[in-house]
Amino acid sequence: MSGPTRLDRSFFATQADTLAPRLIGCVLARREPGGRVLRGRIVEVEAYLGAKDRASHAYAGRRTPRNEAMYMREGTLYVYFTYGMHHCLNVVCAEEGVAQAVLVRALEAVDGLEVMRARRARAGRVPADEALCRGPGNVCKALGVDLAQNRADLCDGGVVWLEAGAGGRLGVSARIGVSSAGAWARRRLRWFERENRCVSGTGALSGRRRRT
DNA sequence: GCACCGATCGCCT
DNA sequence: GGCGATCGGTGCT
């Protein structure tokens, strides 16, 4: 049988709020320096709509070395460092010159759990499997993704890529941690797989709490 | 130059 | 449920 289908450039050539729900159920793969491949099913994402989106790093056309990846062609990886200690991983979409991206907030670990457990262990305590990649900072930590992978190509590169997959029932909500973004803070630009225990804390709650 | 604050996390109460 | 840790990016003085 054939291997997993790698998502190609055309998959990413669309608006962030269209791409985001389509990414639920797809698999994020990361090849380690040693050759081993780690995999996780995407279960939670957020769309960032660029220049018009007050919560986006590219709001009002901001363009700096830090967010340059957002302006690169669709299918580029955008990794940034925040809160002095966390990395966050985004999939750039739309088209070159248009700064839109989807933040990957949580994964359901599929391959390489031992490596993820080792990376996430703290003071001898290892998180439960469903918490290995729960939260954007933890996704990067578990996969060993940092600024070295910023601007990598997901379509042609061999380090990080995406594979096709199907998601379960979707939940939608406002994005997390963007309360100061005015009206944009209230827009429902976060998608997650309902009743999946790997969805991040706040998300799992609002997801379970939200009816229908 | 410098002050402010963030697309967070985990521990503490 | 609340808050401290911790530091680079950004924008203003």
Side-chain angles (χ1 to χ4, degrees):
Chain A
M1 71 183 214
S2 61
T5 305
R6 181 161 167 168
L7 300 181
D8 65 10
R9 188 89 51 203
S10 64
F11 190 88
F12 305 104
T14 187
Q15 300 288 299
D17 53 345
T18 299
L19 175 66
R22 290 180 187 169
L23 283 175
I24 299 292
C26 291
V27 172
L28 179 63
R30 144 77 160 151
R31 187 183 302 278
E32 297 274 289
R36 180 158 193 180
V37 177
L38 311 181
R39 283 189 175 81
R41 259 184 92 243
I42 297 176
V43 297
E44 183 186 354
V45 295
E46 287 179 357
Y48 285 84
L49 295 172
K52 61 188 174 186
D53 180 357
R54 197 161 148 195
S56 170
H57 288 168
Y59 176 60
R62 269 192 210 115
R63 185 167 186 166
T64 65
R66 180 211 200 189
N67 70 1
E68 181 61 28
M70 292 189 78
Y71 291 87
M72 293 172 70
R73 64 178 172 170
E74 64 274 20
T76 296
L77 193 65
Y78 171 38
V79 180
Y80 65 87
F81 183 66
T82 190
Y83 289 102
M85 58 189 109
H86 299 294
H87 292 277
C88 292
L89 180 158
N90 300 251
V91 176
V92 173
C93 59
E95 60 189 280
E96 187 167 359
V98 175
Q100 294 202 8
V102 175
L103 170 68
V104 175
R105 290 191 54 92
L107 305 174
E108 179 179 339
V110 174
D111 285 336
L113 274 68
E114 316 79 47
V115 175
M116 299 180 193
R117 289 188 196 107
R119 287 216 174 100
R120 294 273 286 108
R122 272 168 52 98
R125 294 159 61 132
V126 180
D129 287 352
E130 62 266 27
L132 287 173
C133 307
R134 182 192 283 160
N138 291 331
V139 167
C140 287
K141 189 163 186 189
L143 294 184
V145 166
D146 57 28
L147 292 178
Q149 284 78 45
N150 187 31
R151 307 184 191 178
D153 189 340
L154 296 167
C155 305
D156 290 336
V159 177
V160 183
W161 65 93
L162 284 159
E163 296 164 0
R169 296 199 320 154
L170 290 188
V172 190
S173 80
R175 292 173 292 186
I176 294 175
V178 298
S179 55
S180 63
W184 279 91
R186 280 174 254 117
R187 299 223 5 203
R188 290 169 145 25
L189 293 172
R190 169 174 171 263
W191 288 265
F192 52 93
E193 188 171 71
R194 298 172 63 107
E195 293 161 33
N196 187 307
R197 295 172 49 80
C198 303
V199 171
S200 72
T202 333
L205 285 175
S206 58
R208 257 170 233 139
R209 214 161 32 128
R210 182 171 309 293
R211 39 176 161 278
T212 327

